[in-house]
Amino acid sequence: MSELTHLDDDGRARMVDVGGKPVTRRVAIAEGRLDTTAQVVGLVQSDGLKKADVLPTARIAGISAAKRTSELIPLAHIVPLDAVSIDFGFEEAAVTIRATASTTGRTGVEMEALTAVAVAGLTLHDMVKAVDPAAVLGGIRLVEKRGGKRGVWRADGAGGEASAAGPETEQSATDAAGARRAIVLVASTRAAAGTADDTTGPVIAGWLGSRGFDAAAPRVVADADIAEALRAAVDEQPAVVFTTGGTGVSPTDRTPEATLAVLDRELPGVAEAIRAAGRAATPTAALSRALAGVAGRTIVVNLPGSRGGVVDGLAEADELLPHLVDQVAGGDHTGRPMVGAVGDEPVGESERMEHGGAPHA
């Protein structure tokens, strides 16, 4: 069992010296819930409470609290946050809260994520107490953290016990089972509902298969579910995860935020190369917020939600992916294009449109 680090040799409280720790990408995810009544849940969803804008107010309160954690928790460090996001979910008689905090620094952001959940939950209670003063805020816990010497730590949802996977564990698992595995995630609410065809996932899966990757059928999820789907995909430790869709500026586009939450290191040059390839075909590609990076030993790349954008992006991946896969696996690949064309037919403007009909981003 580890010793308490916030106590000195005489048992007195102290602030831990993190000056000797390496600067790494660190992410923490926390969750909690406000148990209330079905009536209150309905009022929150419809914004029907007397205190309006319930969720936006709670979200801003949580983000503000995360930024001031060091003022609230005496021995917490002042952390330069890269991002904080708060998502709400609904059960029959509860509102769930999930906060993701990230930084590039020498210490983690677990307390920032937990503080964000706590204050967002307290704000929710304040907003609903006129209708349900007996609402109960609870279940606040850390569910995942990334970065630092421990690599990845996740709480076990069933029993509340912790599981840890350090860099060596992740490497051996990936080398053994995931060295040539790939997962394709399609973020499209309409395709997930069956009201639109998935025109991009099969293109990516076919491209990966022709280049020696074991890529199963694409996983199609609604935009609102991409964060959970991406976390689950990264947990499987494949060599590559390609996402398609949800990278634009629509309020429902959430893929970049979901990606940032799982990345240990970003690869901005890869994302920009894909964006530049799209801009050569259509100016609207400049609106893309797509990211690329590494999560453990898994390469994650966002592609647009249009067939044309995917074809453009995969053409760039032909140049970059072999070298990148080899580097992440610990090799020293000299880098050369993979054999084979991305598509056999020219792509017209109609195929450079998102699933919903908007220009690809």
Side-chain angles (χ1 to χ4, degrees):
M1 186 176 187
S2 300
E3 296 182 356
L4 296 175
T5 57
H6 283 84
L7 298 177
D8 64 17
D9 293 339
D10 297 322
R12 294 173 299 190
R14 63 161 185 166
M15 190 174 189
V16 176
D17 185 353
V18 299
K21 292 185 176 182
V23 175
T24 63
R25 171 79 172 170
R26 299 169 186 265
V27 178
I29 303 172
E31 66 182 14
R33 58 188 291 123
L34 183 73
D35 288 297
T36 179
T37 66
Q39 177 194 9
V40 167
V41 171
L43 289 171
V44 171
Q45 288 180 297
S46 64
D47 199 22
L49 288 163
K50 187 174 182 179
K51 291 184 177 181
D53 298 326
V54 175
L55 297 182
T57 301
R59 180 176 288 112
I60 293 300
I63 293 172
S64 298
K67 293 161 63 177
R68 303 185 69 172
T69 298
S70 63
E71 298 177 28
L72 301 170
I73 310 298
L75 301 179
H77 293 82
I78 299 174
V79 177
L81 290 168
D82 292 336
V84 179
S85 64
I86 298 179
D87 297 304
F88 299 101
F90 300 99
E91 298 178 5
E92 183 178 356
V95 180
T96 61
I97 311 157
R98 189 179 186 94
T100 302
S102 61
T103 186
T104 305
R106 289 186 167 88
T107 190
V109 283
E110 298 95 321
M111 296 311 303
E112 283 71 16
L114 289 162
T115 301
V117 169
V119 174
L122 288 171
T123 304
L124 282 177
H125 195 290
D126 177 58
M127 304 290 272
V128 309
K129 69 180 187 292
V131 180
D132 180 22
V136 177
L137 175 63
I140 299 175
R141 65 169 189 155
L142 183 70
V143 295
E144 181 178 323
K145 65 176 182 177
R146 289 177 168 272
K149 66 179 181 180
R150 293 185 181 180
V152 180
W153 177 96
R154 295 183 183 89
D156 180 74
E161 297 184 2
S163 62
E168 294 81 5
T169 302
E170 288 187 304
Q171 178 177 353
S172 60
T174 300
D175 289 346
R180 298 299 290 180
R181 285 189 61 238
I183 295 174
V184 180
L185 295 178
V186 180
S188 171
T189 300
R190 292 181 61 208
T195 59
D197 294 331
D198 170 23
T199 61
T200 57
V203 174
I204 302 171
W207 182 88
L208 286 164
S210 69
R211 282 147 182 81
F213 287 93
D214 177 13
R219 304 175 186 180
V220 183
V221 299
D223 289 286
D225 298 327
I226 186 61
E228 182 178 352
L230 185 53
R231 280 193 296 270
V234 170
D235 284 348
E236 296 178 36
Q237 301 181 37
V240 183
V241 174
F242 273 108
T243 73
T244 169
T247 60
V249 294
S250 166
T252 60
D253 289 335
R254 303 179 182 180
T255 301
E257 288 79 7
T259 303
L260 189 61
V262 302
L263 292 183
D264 298 317
R265 291 173 291 168
E266 289 187 64
L267 297 170
V270 174
E272 184 51 42
I274 293 172
R275 200 159 19 248
R279 281 202 307 268
T282 175
T284 57
L287 301 177
S288 172
R289 299 184 298 118
L291 299 175
V294 179
R297 287 183 171 268
T298 297
I299 300 160
V300 183
V301 179
N302 297 160
L303 294 176
S306 67
R307 185 177 182 277
V310 163
V311 169
D312 295 336
L314 292 178
E316 290 299 312
D318 253 342
E319 299 281 349
L320 302 171
L321 194 59
H323 183 61
L324 183 55
V325 168
D326 197 53
Q327 275 200 329
V328 171
D332 187 24
H333 199 289
T334 56
R336 64 168 182 253
M338 289 181 173
V339 178
V342 174
D344 297 326
E345 300 177 2
V347 177
E349 185 62 30
S350 64
E351 291 181 301
R352 299 186 182 280
M353 308 295 280
E354 291 278 10
H355 289 294
H360 83 73

